[in-house]
């Protein structure tokens, strides 16, 4: 199983089963899931708190770090997949649509190599 | 294109192209991407700030809300995909591994229907 | 020492001394301090993740919780005080100015008892 | 009014009046206030997202930035003051207690000029 072959639907089904087996759907309101997602995003960010931006590229090579960071990223992803289940949102479609909007917002010829405030 | 058929690799390639065309890789340090991810997670959460947990399940049906919330979720996802590119992490593999760890941490028979502090 | 008598300046001096003694000013860029603040805010929020909004009012009375929550609030406050030191911002003045802006943005007669999206 | 002379109690009273006049106490559960705090912390952080750590020290001198950043810091502070009101926590006492704990956790002789993972 890898990013090459794994679909979003497959992992949405995996997190849905996990929640259903434990009867956790009652706790999985969008409000709570969005809080959980923000919490995990902060835990991921904490790994990079005291390193400089350039040095943060090499942090993953320190002992134990790859697994820890991958785990935090997975936590973020699981909340996002749970949220897309609960809200019945097609995440791939949303991503493709947002990339198209961002392509209009950040035209290549005007943004090349330029600092910009907004994400993308 | 939908969650049924879209692989993680396909959208990782899409966000990589987007960044490369704009020569934004220089800004995409793990530190910065983790900050962007946390920022977008907070924007997503803000939609659910003043509604009760139960009412947050219906918020998506208000006019305009579905697209706004899908957009915020896509922003979170794009940062996560960019981060997995930069760190060379197989996100699907990380998710599957984390679900397996969580299955051990939260055994079905002990967690069924029970409030728990930690995410999943 | 209590909120009745303690000034902002006094605690700004306390966190400044703490950082200076450890020669940590080099790490205390506004970027890093804002990340630390967001991280601690998420840790504070995590205490209230799986409780309903109404029940969250009583959480503080559970054993150990008062000290844990007070500690997280203090962590948030310390980052905010450090940031106001580094940026040379008068925090009290900023708070009073923001309350005045919010009073214009949220007139009493129009906002009384009403749900609103924006914080205040 | 300035940090030199303003007590925490005075600004706690100011935010309490603001909420009471609008009958907003019903929305000010600890859960909601902690979410608002985390949201504002992310908005503050967003100002420093695409600048390097060193450059973030000078950002405050760009036109308009001082007021914007002071406003975001005030938003964070207002949520923290509201939360200390709702939870009946003496914030100054909590800060002083936490600084004392951190002094034990990060002894001067062992931490001087050293990178550390945990905040302070």
């Amino acid at each position: 199983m890898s990013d090459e072959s794994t679909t979003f639907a497959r992992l949405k089904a995996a997190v849905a089963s996990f929640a259903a087996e434990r009867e956790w759907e009652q706790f999985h309101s969008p409000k709570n899931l969005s809080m959980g997602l923000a919490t995990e995003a902060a835990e991921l960010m904490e790994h990079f708190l005291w390193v400089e931006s350039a040095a943060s590229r090499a942090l993953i090579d320190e002992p134990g770090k790859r697994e820890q960071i991958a785990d935090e990223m997975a936590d973020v992803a699981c909340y996002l997949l749970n949220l897309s289940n609960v809200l019945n949102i097609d995440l791939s479609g949303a991503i493709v649509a947002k990339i198209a909007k961002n392509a209009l917002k950040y035209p290549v010829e005007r943004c090349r190599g330029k600092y910009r405030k907004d994400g993308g």
Side-chain angles (χ1 to χ4, degrees), chain A residues 89-109:
Chain A
I89 280 179
D90 187 85
L91 196 52
S92 309
I95 294 170
V96 170
K98 194 67 202 316
I99 291 175
K101 284 185 199 179
N102 281 345
L104 293 174
K105 191 174 173 186
Y106 304 106
V108 169
E109 62 278 12

Side-chain angles (χ1 to χ4, degrees), chain A residues 1-76:
Chain A
M1 193 168 239
S2 78
D3 286 346
E4 287 306 319
S5 58
T6 310
T7 62
F8 281 75
R10 186 157 174 185
L11 295 187
K12 282 168 77 169
V15 299
S17 293
F18 190 93
E21 286 164 8
R22 285 158 188 76
E23 300 174 12
W24 282 358
E25 297 100 331
Q26 60 188 306
F27 304 121
H28 282 192
S29 68
K31 183 177 179 113
N32 285 356
L33 291 174
S34 74
M35 288 174 76
L37 201 166
T39 303
E40 295 297 340
E43 290 184 12
L44 172 60
M45 181 170 70
E46 198 176 7
H47 286 277
F48 305 107
L49 175 47
W50 299 114
V51 291
E52 289 297 307
S53 195
S56 75
R57 295 182 190 265
L59 189 72
I60 195 86
D61 299 323
E62 292 184 12
K65 274 292 178 187
R66 178 167 290 275
E67 186 179 350
Q68 289 169 34
I69 290 170
D71 272 1
E72 303 288 10
M73 290 174 66
D75 282 333
V76 170

